[in-house]
């Protein structure tokens, strides 16, 4: 241990939902713990993502912690889908309410995590030149935290401002009267386009793949409805944890095939879910992500809605996706489609006319030049593994995580890796994570990890490590389950398809109910699949 190293029980990396809860739970175990965060404030993705229109696509009353009843009752959500400033304020409140800040080191990036086999400790280095020597490390680095910036020729020559939705300036950006180009039509593009259109003199959206969107029907929460939810929180939270709906939120699930009902009844059910709004549309029937024919009828229904909203038939056609609905993360729409009815908003299909380069004053596609003052890259993230890949993680015998994951991530339960003892990931690849309400998954993982550490300490165990055979069996199982669904059928960030050179492997595990039950059984049986020494 160098003079600038501090000896600890646990280092937590990341101060979003996962890191804050892990810190709180670790204190409850009596561990000497420090949380290290690269940002200058807590909040994780909600600290960084401040682009116009940023909000969650899970209802606020469920996209929140359930571990403390007083916290649930005292916090007042204002909208059905909380905007970024409100979620950030909530997480800041959590940090203050539980006095977490005294153990959080902000503005400090973890650069390397190296295992010392003889000492059975991790050496954690930071960009401040110091670090920590610790028994355990928990990577709470987030699934959508490392922005994906495309390498477009000439972008460094652009005379205007280039912005990324995932690193939006905290002081905001005034685009009033400016010509704005938005590259990308995933969630951040769908959310930001309507707001930017209100300010910009001209808005050009560069779309490679059209996105399936469902209406948010967002609005202020009725005080009486909120009071009723708070009174029934135990029931709601238990349903989330039991995953009676696989997503971990209140989805009015219909356990019937889309092909088992008459067309008129099917249309009525789609209309009911459409009127409710949000991601629960995918629960209209039980086989939309299992049966291509069932999926087709849902996709056709949504395409008909696009044609109803978008006035120009040619633009409506370009905005109508031709892939499986739900194989990419669906976008919750707060006016996105209607935006294209405005005369100053233009849609450019870059699958038909690719972007060739950025010039000093705009973007050139194969069909011509578009004059711009501001370019917004709504190009998403290096998902699931991106943040971990930016840290030099070295385990037993000099094995690096980069090398171990060169053909795709290999984990046991999305929680641990062979060759990397006492290191855990929250909502890592191989767990349901991004296919669920993330807060439910985060609480599940943090509690499971905490219980494992407590078990190890009580049993005199100094090293906890995934067994290689069990890990590879788990990887095969995840691939098998994914293969039963339609998720892998399109190029999505679930597979890393948005990152050049990244292995094409479906990373999350569909189906949370069986996963949660399996994790509980593993703990009850004394952690088979893990080597405890």
């Amino acid at each position: 241990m160098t003079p600038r190293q501090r000896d600890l029980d646990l280092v937590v990396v990341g101060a979003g939902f996962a890191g804050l809860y892990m810190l709180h739970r670790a204190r409850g175990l009596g561990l000497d713990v420090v949380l290290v965060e690269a940002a200058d404030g807590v909040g994780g993705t909600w600290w960084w993502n401040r682009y116009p229109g940023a909000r969650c696509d899970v209802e606020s009353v469920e996209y929140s912690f359930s571990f403390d009843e007083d916290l649930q009752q005292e916090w007042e959500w204002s909208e059905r889908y909380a905007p970024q400033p409100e979620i950030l304020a909530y997480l800041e409140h959590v940090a203050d309410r539980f006095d977490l800040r005294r153990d959080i080191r902000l503005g400090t990036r973890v650069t390397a995590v190296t295992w010392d086999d003889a000492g059975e400790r991790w050496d954690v280095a930071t960009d401040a030149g110091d670090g920590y020597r610790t028994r355990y490390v928990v990577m709470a680095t987030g699934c959508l935290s490392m922005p994906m910036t495309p390498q477009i020729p000439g972008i460094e020559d652009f005379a205007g401002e280039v912005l990324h939705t995932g690193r939006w300036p905290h002081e905001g950006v005034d685009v009033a009267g400016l010509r704005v180009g938005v590259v990308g039509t995933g969630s951040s593009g769908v959310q930001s386009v309507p707001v930017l259109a209100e300010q910009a003199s001209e808005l050009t959206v560069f779309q490679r793949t059209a996105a399936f969107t469902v209406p948010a029907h967002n609005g202020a929460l009725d005080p009486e409805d909120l009071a009723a939810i708070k009174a029934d929180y135990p029931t709601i939270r238990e349903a989330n944890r039991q995953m009676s709906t696989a997503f971990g939120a209140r989805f009015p699930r219909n356990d019937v095939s889309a092909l088992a009902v008459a067309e008129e009844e099917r249309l009525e059910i789609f209309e009911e879910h459409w009127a409710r709004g949000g991601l629960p549309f995918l629960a209209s029937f039980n086989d939309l992500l299992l049966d291509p024919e069932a999926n087709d009828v849902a996709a056709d229904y949504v395409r008909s809605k696009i044609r109803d909203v978008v006035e120009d038939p040619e633009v409506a056609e370009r905005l109508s996706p031709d892939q499986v609905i739900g194989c990419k993360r669906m976008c919750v729409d707060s006016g996105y489609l209607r935006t294209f009815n405005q005369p100053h908003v233009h849609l450019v299909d870059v699958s038909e006319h690719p972007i060739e380069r950025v010039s000093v004053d705009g973007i050139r596609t194969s069909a011509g030049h578009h004059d711009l003052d501001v370019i917004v890259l709504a190009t998403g993230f290096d998902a699931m593994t991106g943040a971990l890949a930016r840290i030099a993680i070295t385990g037993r015998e000099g094995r690096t995580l980069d090398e171990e994951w060169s053909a795709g991530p290999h984990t046991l339960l999305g929680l641990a890796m062979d060759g990397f003892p006492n290191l855990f990931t929250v909502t890592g690849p191989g767990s349901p994570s991004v296919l669920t309400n993330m807060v439910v998954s985060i609480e599940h993982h943090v509690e499971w990890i905490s219980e494992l550490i407590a078990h190890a300490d009580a049993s005199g165990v100094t090293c906890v490590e995934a067994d290689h055979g069990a890990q590879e069996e788990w990887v095969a199982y995840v691939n098998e389950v994914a293969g039963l669904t339609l998720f892998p059928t399109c190029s999505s960030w679930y597979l890393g398809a948005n990152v050049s050179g990244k292995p094409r492997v479906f990373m999350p595990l569909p189906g949370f109910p069986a996963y949660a039950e399996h994790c509980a059984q593993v703990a009850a049986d004394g952690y088979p699949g893990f080597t405890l020494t």
Side-chain angles (χ1 to χ4, degrees):
M1 187 169 68
T2 70
R4 299 188 67 191
Q5 271 188 323
R6 177 179 165 190
D7 212 350
L8 296 167
D9 293 315
L10 170 64
V11 168
V12 180
V13 184
F17 273 96
L20 294 178
Y21 188 36
M22 190 70 237
L23 173 55
H24 177 66
R25 290 283 299 204
R27 281 192 187 161
L29 295 176
L31 301 179
D32 190 6
V33 55
V34 163
L35 187 156
V36 184
E37 167 59 54
D40 292 329
V42 302
T45 190
W46 299 109
W47 190 90
W48 293 104
N49 284 268
R50 298 167 183 247
Y51 59 85
R55 66 177 66 247
C56 189
D57 60 5
V58 176
E59 295 191 26
S60 54
V61 294
E62 292 174 281
Y63 192 79
S64 52
F65 286 123
S66 69
F67 68 84
D68 186 275
E69 179 60 20
D70 290 338
L71 173 64
Q72 290 192 134
Q73 295 300 324
E74 71 194 21
W75 185 262
E76 296 288 325
W77 294 105
S78 67
E79 296 182 47
R80 181 183 180 189
Y81 294 103
Q84 176 270 334
E86 193 167 347
I87 301 173
L88 179 59
Y90 172 74
L91 291 170
E92 289 172 337
H93 172 74
V94 169
D96 293 333
R97 191 187 191 286
F98 297 100
D99 189 26
L100 301 178
R101 294 184 190 272
R102 60 186 166 89
D103 291 321
I104 299 176
R105 186 168 181 189
L106 298 172
T108 305
R109 184 177 297 278
V110 169
T111 56
V113 179
T114 307
W115 176 251
D116 173 14
D117 208 28
E120 294 184 333
R121 293 290 187 275
W122 286 100
D123 290 318
V124 179
T126 74
D127 61 359
D130 57 1
Y132 306 92
R133 189 167 174 84
T134 180
R135 295 163 56 210
Y136 295 99
V137 174
V138 172
M139 291 294 183
T141 46
C143 296
L144 298 172
S145 56
M146 185 54 58
M148 173 52 206
T149 303
Q151 300 302 308
I152 306 175
I155 198 164
E156 66 282 355
D157 299 328
F158 183 61
E161 195 166 11
V162 178
L163 306 164
H164 194 289
T165 49
R167 291 294 183 267
W168 202 262
H170 288 200
E171 66 275 13
V173 179
D174 183 6
V175 300
L178 300 180
R179 300 164 300 179
V180 179
V182 177
V183 180
T185 54
S187 288
S188 57
V190 166
Q191 289 183 338
S192 61
V193 160
V195 183
L196 292 169
E198 293 174 0
Q199 307 164 22
S201 63
E202 296 285 333
L203 181 69
T204 304
V205 179
F206 296 87
Q207 171 191 277
R208 182 180 61 182
T209 306
F212 279 111
T213 70
V214 287
H217 300 316
N218 188 40
L221 284 171
D222 182 273
E224 290 185 6
D225 290 343
L226 187 56
I229 289 169
K230 288 187 175 187
D232 198 34
Y233 249 145
T235 302
I236 293 170
R237 299 300 197 182
E238 184 59 26
N240 290 166
R241 284 188 288 270
Q242 293 298 326
M243 304 306 162
S244 56
T245 59
F247 188 75
R250 292 174 299 165
F251 276 30
R253 185 175 178 84
N254 181 21
D255 201 21
V256 174
S257 165
L259 306 177
V261 297
E263 183 176 354
E264 184 177 349
E265 182 182 351
R266 183 165 62 233
L267 181 60
E268 288 177 1
I269 293 170
F270 279 145
E271 288 287 350
E272 289 172 7
H273 282 74
W274 194 262
R276 185 182 190 278
L279 296 173
F281 177 79
L282 284 174
S284 302
F285 295 96
N286 64 7
D287 55 352
L288 298 188
L289 286 166
L290 299 174
D291 187 313
E293 190 176 348
N295 191 276
D296 284 344
V297 297
D300 286 343
Y301 172 83
V302 176
R303 283 189 281 261
S304 75
K305 289 295 187 181
I306 295 171
R307 291 191 292 270
D308 288 345
V309 172
V310 180
E311 296 167 358
D312 185 323
E314 183 181 338
V315 175
E317 183 62 29
R318 280 186 276 152
L319 287 168
S320 297
D322 60 3
Q323 75 266 11
V324 163
I325 185 170
C327 66
K328 292 187 174 184
R329 178 79 169 199
M330 286 190 70
C331 300
V332 179
D333 176 356
S334 291
Y336 174 73
L337 294 174
R338 289 194 306 273
T339 302
F340 291 95
N341 293 332
Q342 301 178 44
H344 71 298
V345 177
H346 317 291
L347 181 65
V348 176
D349 185 347
V350 298
S351 63
E352 183 179 352
H353 301 293
I355 293 174
E356 294 181 342
R357 66 178 297 104
V358 175
S359 66
V360 171
D361 55 358
I363 291 178
R364 179 174 296 282
T365 73
S366 62
H369 188 270
H370 301 271
D371 295 335
L372 302 170
D373 303 305
V374 177
I375 295 175
V376 175
L377 300 175
T379 48
F381 301 90
D382 183 351
M384 304 289 289
T385 61
L388 292 171
R390 270 62 173 188
I391 301 172
I393 301 175
T394 306
R396 290 192 191 277
E397 301 169 355
R399 294 160 61 181
T400 69
L401 194 65
D402 269 355
E403 293 168 347
E404 296 294 307
W405 286 7
S406 61
H410 285 222
T411 74
L412 179 56
L413 306 179
L415 289 160
M417 291 82 71
D418 165 44
F420 300 85
N422 294 4
L423 184 144
F424 302 103
T425 54
V426 180
T427 62
S431 76
S433 60
V434 293
L435 298 180
T436 70
N437 174 355
M438 286 298 296
V439 183
V440 174
S441 286
I442 284 167
E443 286 190 323
H444 174 263
H445 270 194
V446 167
E447 290 163 9
W448 197 92
I449 292 167
S450 300
E451 290 162 6
L452 175 53
I453 291 175
H455 171 81
D457 285 356
S459 307
V461 169
T462 56
C463 280
V464 178
E465 186 176 349
D467 174 76
H468 179 74
Q471 172 181 281
E472 297 313 295
E473 287 178 10
W474 184 254
V475 172
Y477 171 73
V478 172
N479 290 333
E480 180 182 359
V481 172
L484 297 174
T485 75
L486 302 178
F487 279 117
T489 60
C490 60
S491 296
S492 70
W493 56 258
Y494 294 145
L495 294 110
N498 62 321
V499 180
S500 177
K502 189 169 182 175
R504 299 297 186 263
V505 177
F506 193 79
M507 292 179 281
L509 168 69
F512 206 177
Y515 173 82
E517 293 163 7
H518 179 73
C519 288
Q521 193 62 53
V522 168
D525 291 345
Y527 302 97
F530 291 84
T531 302
L532 282 67
T533 56

